[in-house]
Every structure is written in structure tokens, then in C-alpha cells.
């Protein structure tokens, strides 16, 4: 039966390209005998069969990787909060003083703030280099990480990437005592470890995610990053407030080591090597991907780098990350020095936007796959629409946040809505690598994330240079620049993106539509 809305979702010349046949019915089912247990129809109107999601190996991978990215972002962002407590307030007052445009409004402190943690004489510029140093390591391992994962699998690469970051995090207090240079070098080493994680995960999903489940599985997997931010920001604030900042790094470092042990024991690179996967699920995954993967031994670098759909993802990824990283690293500073929340409130309120983003990622992943599988919307249409909502929506509310002055409630609300809507991108350009070249998804993500890391290196520095007095007007400029970059990226992706496997990405150069 034809979907009543199929005419609303033109396939843009890629008919059949995002309708890869899944596991077909068994002969017994066709002759009326009892079908294989544990396999259910993929949709009420389709004869395709799908292995159940409950307790499946692919969803177990999604949830374990969810907690992996939870740990990853906890390790990444905890310094943003801890740094506020590590620095002597008398030092920061000389260079980047608190704005008094907004009145003091924090609730009276009932419990004395613990002051036993060591304080450092780091000015605002030094703090910017400390926060930005992570990305100097992070940018180096993106493409190598994707290449290694495509050749040897992503399990060990992802696992040891997070383990290395966790171990280095444990040494953060010691590095801070040695001086700024040691701390910058340590953070760069953490970036080297984290740089391989996203390309490695994308490479694993190229072997694990059936085409019509990509949005669901990847949104679950990467939503851990947002929840890690949600938990890490307020928890870091609580630890700093009642204990001291050193315990922030000890706690999250130990959690990372525990996750690594679980990951190594329970995960496999591919369905073929998984020890407990059911035969039905294995056949379902392999048959759904059989026409999408390439058998080429060499990477087609030249055609890949000439691909306009790839560069549309690069531009969108760069644009989105400009806003994301600016807020990720400087939102605690904005909450403290402009809106004048204390460190305990700061951690909670800085986390609220990412809670919304986490929920949006989970729900949008479900919606995107339902639009494709049940309502016959093309992959390209879904990726375009979700990217437009996830980039232009945040731009509108980010600009609005700069124009409401010291209205604390509206400021938090607009920043929350802006970050929440960004969650739609997880089912937009963020997973388009798997649509256009599943065999090289890890490498493609390495390429796009290399460019998308640049905003993390220069965005906070530019934002700090534009806010020497931390006034509302200065931050309005920061927000407007980020919004303009977001809108440009959304338009570019909409014009040049594709939703089908590209000819250069398959060994016979015919694409998977044949």
C-alpha cells in the first residue's frame, strides 16, 4: 500500500537509494508455515523483516557507546566548571572583571563554600589557552583515527581513546601544580585520545546499523555526550562547592576506567565477530548492508575530497560547532560574570540547555527513522529538514538571548531552547556520512570533525576578545556572530547535500541502487 504522503517527499533523483532491502521472508513464511521466531515485520505495510530491538546486540552497542560518550564529555567539560574555582578571583578581576549591569540575585549561601583547593594566578588569556589546548590534540587524530578504524575496527581505538583521556584526567591536579605549560600539554594529550572516538564509532556503525535504523541507533549512541554534559556541569559544581576542585578530576577519571573494562568485555567490532548475537539479527544486519559496503582495499581519496556532498557536511559541521563549542566552554563564565549566578547555581543552569538537547536527540532519532521507514520520506528530505530545524532554530533563540538584557529567566529559557533545537542535527548532517559512504564513514567523520574542531580552538578565544568587560552588549555580538554562521551552514547543506551512497564509495562505482 502506498503511503498517502509519499508524494510530499520527492527522492531527488535517488529512487530506491534509501530503501535498501532488508531481510526477506523465509520460504516457510511464504508457504504459510510458522515463521522464524524473534523476527517481526519492519512495518505494518511492508513484507520486510527486522530483528527485534529488545536485548539485541546492536542496541546493546548503542547503550554501551551512549555511556562511553557520557564519560567522554564528562571528562571534557568538567574543567570549564572547575577552572572557575581553581583561579584566584583577585587575578581574574584585574583582566576580565564581573559585569555589574545585572543585579546580584543568587540565593543566600547556607553552607560555607569549601576553600581548601589550591588557587592559581591565571589571567583571562591564560584561562583561554588552557580551555582551548584540548582541541590542539583533538584535531590531530581525527582523520588518522577514521582511517585506522576503517582498516582494523573501532572497538579498541574507541576504548583506549577514552581510557587514555580518563587516565590523563587523574593527573590534572598534579599538572596544575607543575604550571600552565604542563596543564596545557596534558589537556592536549587528552584531546589526542578523544580525537579518535567519534570516527571510530562511526566506523563501527557502518557495520552495525541497518539503513532504516541509523537515526535511532546513532542518536542513542551520541546522546550520551549531551547527558554527560548535563550531569558533569552541576556535579562538578557540587564537588567544587562542598569538597574541592581536585576531586572533580579524580571522580570522573575513575568512572572512565570502569567504563573501559565493560566496553572491552561486552563489545565486538562487527556482527560476524560478536559471540552472543542471534543468527536472525546477524542475518538481518548483514543483508541490509550487503549492497552498501565497498570491497575496495584502497581509500578513494581524490574522488572523496572532490565530493560536494562531503563538503556540505563539512560546512554544516563547522557552523554548528561554532555555537556548540562557544557555549560549551564559556556558558559557565557567562552565567557567573554576566548573569551573576554563584558556582553552585552555575553548574545546574549551565547544564539545563544540554538536558533539552539530549531529549531532543533521542526523540528526533525516532522521528527521523519513522518518517523514512513508515511514511516514505526520502533520506535526503529528512536530513535537510532536520538540519534546518537544528541550525536555524538555535540561531533565532541565540540572537533573542542577546536582546533580553538581565532577565535571568528568559536568558536561561532562550539558551535552553537554542541548545535543545540543536539536537535535531543528530538526525541531520551529523549522520549523513553513513548515507553517502558507509564504508568510509569513519574517515569522512574524521575529515568533517577536523574542520569542525577549528571553532573549538578559535571560537572561545574570539568570544573572550569580544567581551573584555563582559557586558550584555558584548555578549550580544558573540551570539549574533554564532547565529549568522549557523544560518550559513544550514543553507549550504540544504543546497548541496545528498542522501544516497555516492559512486566513488562502492567498489563497482554503480551505487547501491542497483
Amino acid at each position: 500500500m502506498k503511503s498517502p504522503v509519499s508524494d510530499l517527499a520527492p527522492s531527488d533523483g535517488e529512487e530506491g537509494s534509501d530503501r535498501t532491502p532488508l531481510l526477506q521472508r523465509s520460504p516457510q513464511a511464504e508457504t504459510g508455515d510458522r515463521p522464524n521466531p524473534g523476527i517481526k515485520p519492519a512495518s505494518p505495510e511492508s513484507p520486510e523483516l527486522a530483528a527485534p530491538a529488545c536485548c539485541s546486540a546492536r542496541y546493546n552497542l548503542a547503550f554501551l557507546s551512549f555511556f562511553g560518550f557520557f564519560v567522554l564529555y564528562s571528562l571534557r567539560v568538567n574543567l570549564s566548571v572547575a577552572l572557575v574555582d581553581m583561579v584566584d578571583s583577585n587575578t581574574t578581576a584585574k583582566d576580565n572583571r564581573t559585569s555589574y549591569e545585572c543585579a546580584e540575585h543568587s540565593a543566600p549561601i547556607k553552607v560555607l563554600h569549601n576553600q581548601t583547593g589550591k588557587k592559581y594566578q591565571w589571567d583571562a588569556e591564560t584561562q583561554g589557552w588552557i580551555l582551548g589546548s584540548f582541541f590542539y590534540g583533538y584535531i590531530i587524530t581525527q582523520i588518522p583515527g577514521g582511517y585506522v578504524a576503517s582498516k582494523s575496527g573501532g572497538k579498541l581505538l574507541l576504548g583506549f581513546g577514552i581510557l587514555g583521556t580518563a587516565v590523563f584526567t587523574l593527573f590534572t591536579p598534579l599538572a596544575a601544580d607543575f604550571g600552565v605549560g604542563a596543564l596545557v600539554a596534558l589537556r592536549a594529550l587528552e584531546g589526542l585520545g578523544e580525537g579518535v572516538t567519534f570516527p571510530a564509532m562511526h566506523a563501527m556503525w557502518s557495520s552495525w546499523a541497518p539503513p532504516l535504523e541509523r537515526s535511532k541507533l546513532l542518536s542513542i549512541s551520541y546522546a550520551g555526550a549531551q547527558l554527560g554534559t548535563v550531569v558533569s556541569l552541576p556535579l562538578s559544581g557540587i564537588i567544587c562547592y562542598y569538597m574541592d576542585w581536585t576531586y572533580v578530576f579524580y571522580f570522573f577519571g575513575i568512572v572512565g576506567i570502569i567504563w573501559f573494562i565493560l566496553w572491552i568485555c561486552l563489545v565486538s567490532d562487527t556482527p560476524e565477530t560478536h559471540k552472543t548475537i542471534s543468527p536472525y539479527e546477524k542475518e538481518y544486519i548483514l543483508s541490509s548492508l550487503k549492497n552498501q559496503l565497498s570491497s575496495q582495499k584502497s581509500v578513494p581519496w581524490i574522488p572523496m575530497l572532490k565530493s560536494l556532498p562531503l563538503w556540505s557536511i563539512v560546512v554544516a559541521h563547522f557552523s554548528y560547532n561554532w555555537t556548540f563549542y562557544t557555549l560549551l566552554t564559556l556558558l559557565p563564565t557567562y552565567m557567573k560574570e554576566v548573569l551573576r549566578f554563584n558556582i553552585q547555581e552555575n553548574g545546574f543552569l549551565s547544564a539545563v540547555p544540554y538536558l533539552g538537547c539530549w531529549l531532543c536527540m533521542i526523540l528526533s532519532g525516532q522521528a527521523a527513522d519513522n518518517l523514512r521507514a513508515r511514511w516514505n520520506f526520502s533520506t535526503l528530505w529528512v536530513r535537510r529538514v532536520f538540519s534546518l530545524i537544528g541550525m536555524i532554530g538555535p540561531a533565532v533563540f541565540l540572537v533573542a538571548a542577546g536582546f533580553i538584557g538581565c532577565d535571568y529567566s528568559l536568558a536561561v529559557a532562550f539558551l535552553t531552547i537554542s541548545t535543545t533545537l540543536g539536537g535535531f542535527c543528530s538526525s541531520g548532517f551529523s549522520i549523513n556520512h553513513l548515507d553517502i559512504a558507509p564504508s568510509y564513514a569513519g574517515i569522512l567523520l574524521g575529515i568533517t570533525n577536523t574542520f569542525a574542531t577549528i571553532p573549538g580552538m578559535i571560537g572561545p578565544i574570539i568570544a573572550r576578545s569580544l567581551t573584555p568587560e563582559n557586558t550584555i552588549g558584548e555578549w550580544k555580538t558573540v551570539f549574533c556572530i554564532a547565529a549568522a554562521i549557523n544560518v550559513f551552514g544550514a543553507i549550504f547543506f540544504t543546497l548541496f547535500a545528498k542522501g544516497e551512497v555516492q559512486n566513488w564509495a562502492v567498489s563497482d562505482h554503480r551505487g547501491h541502487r542497483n
Side-chain angles (χ1 to χ4, degrees), residues 403-422:
F403 281 89
I404 48 85
C406 294
D407 190 322
Y408 313 108
S409 299
L410 273 182
V412 173
F414 285 170
L415 289 172
T416 298
I417 295 172
S418 176
T419 308
T420 296
L421 291 175

Side-chain angles (χ1 to χ4, degrees), residues 17 29 79 83-84 90 107 129 220 229 231 253 291 301 306 313 320 336 338 360 404 414 433 468 472 478 513:
S17 62
L79 183 62
L83 191 64
V84 175
N90 292 327
W129 283 108
I220 292 172
T229 304
V231 173
N291 295 321
W301 290 107
K306 289 181 178 179
I313 304 174
Y320 176 84
K336 175 178 180 284
V338 179
C360 186
I404 48 85
F414 285 170
H433 317 75
I472 295 291
V478 171
R513 74 186 91 180

Side-chain angles (χ1 to χ4, degrees), residues 4-287:
V5 297
S6 59
D7 293 335
L8 298 178
S11 61
D12 294 293
E14 46 184 282
E15 182 178 353
S17 62
D18 36 35
R19 299 286 176 264
T20 303
L22 305 182
L23 185 60
Q24 300 298 317
R25 287 190 182 274
S26 63
Q28 294 94 330
E30 294 176 356
T31 59
D33 293 339
R34 184 178 181 180
N36 289 327
I39 304 183
K40 63 181 181 179
S43 71
E45 301 177 347
S46 171
E48 298 166 349
L49 296 173
C54 181
C55 301
S56 64
R58 65 191 187 282
Y59 275 87
N60 288 343
L61 173 62
F63 286 114
L64 270 172
S65 58
F66 171 92
F67 287 110
F69 286 102
F70 174 97
V71 171
L72 193 74
Y73 265 65
S74 297
L75 295 170
R76 181 186 297 195
V77 306
N78 54 21
L79 183 62
S80 297
V81 176
L83 191 64
V84 175
D85 215 38
M86 293 169 69
V87 176
D88 188 340
S89 58
N90 292 327
T91 303
T92 56
K94 298 174 184 176
D95 300 284
N96 201 9
R97 63 181 181 271
T98 298
S99 170
Y100 292 99
E101 282 185 285
C102 299
E104 183 68 52
H105 61 93
S106 294
I109 298 176
K110 297 180 181 179
V111 180
L112 291 178
H113 181 183
N114 188 293
Q115 299 288 349
T116 58
K118 188 173 181 180
K119 303 290 184 180
Y120 300 96
Q121 306 295 315
W122 296 334
D123 59 21
E125 183 180 359
T126 301
Q127 293 174 54
W129 283 108
I130 292 171
L131 290 173
S133 59
F134 170 90
F135 298 102
Y136 291 94
Y138 189 71
I139 197 172
I140 292 174
T141 50
Q142 294 290 327
I143 297 176
Y147 181 78
V148 172
S150 69
K151 295 297 183 181
S152 58
K155 172 186 172 179
L156 292 179
L157 195 62
L158 176 61
F160 281 105
I162 296 180
L163 176 66
T165 305
V167 172
F168 286 132
T169 297
L170 292 172
F171 289 98
T172 300
L174 183 62
D177 276 341
F178 274 108
V180 173
L183 183 56
V184 166
L186 185 75
R187 289 289 291 177
L189 288 174
E190 290 180 27
L192 285 173
E194 286 202 21
V196 303
T197 53
F198 281 93
M201 192 72 253
H202 247 47
M204 289 186 71
W205 281 126
S206 69
S207 299
W208 275 99
L212 294 182
E213 293 185 17
R214 279 177 184 155
S215 301
K216 294 177 185 176
L217 290 168
L218 272 75
S219 64
I220 292 172
S221 179
Y222 295 135
Q226 307 303 324
L227 191 62
T229 304
V230 169
V231 173
S232 177
L233 288 174
L235 186 56
S236 297
I238 291 172
I239 294 173
C240 287
Y241 196 84
Y242 292 105
M243 301 170 70
D244 73 59
W245 59 264
T246 59
Y247 291 98
V248 170
F249 304 105
Y250 297 146
F251 174 79
F252 288 110
I254 292 171
V255 170
I257 293 171
I258 294 172
W259 172 86
F260 170 78
I261 296 171
L262 295 174
W263 177 260
I264 292 298
C265 294
L266 299 176
V267 167
S268 296
D269 277 310
T270 64
E272 296 96 322
T273 58
H274 198 283
K275 295 179 181 179
T276 61
I277 188 174
S278 71
Y280 305 120
E281 184 184 7
K282 183 190 295 186
E283 187 179 355
Y284 163 62
I285 295 172
L286 295 180
S287 63

Side-chain angles (χ1 to χ4, degrees), residues 43 61 92 101 140 147-148 234 270 275 296-297 302 310 317 341 379 386-387 398 415 439 465 489 494-495:
S43 71
L61 173 62
T92 56
E101 282 185 285
I140 292 174
Y147 181 78
V148 172
T270 64
K275 295 179 181 179
Q296 296 182 89
K297 293 184 179 180
I302 301 301
L310 170 61
H317 204 165
F341 292 102
T379 299
F386 278 61
S387 295
L398 199 58
L415 289 172
S439 295
S465 69
T494 300
L495 292 175

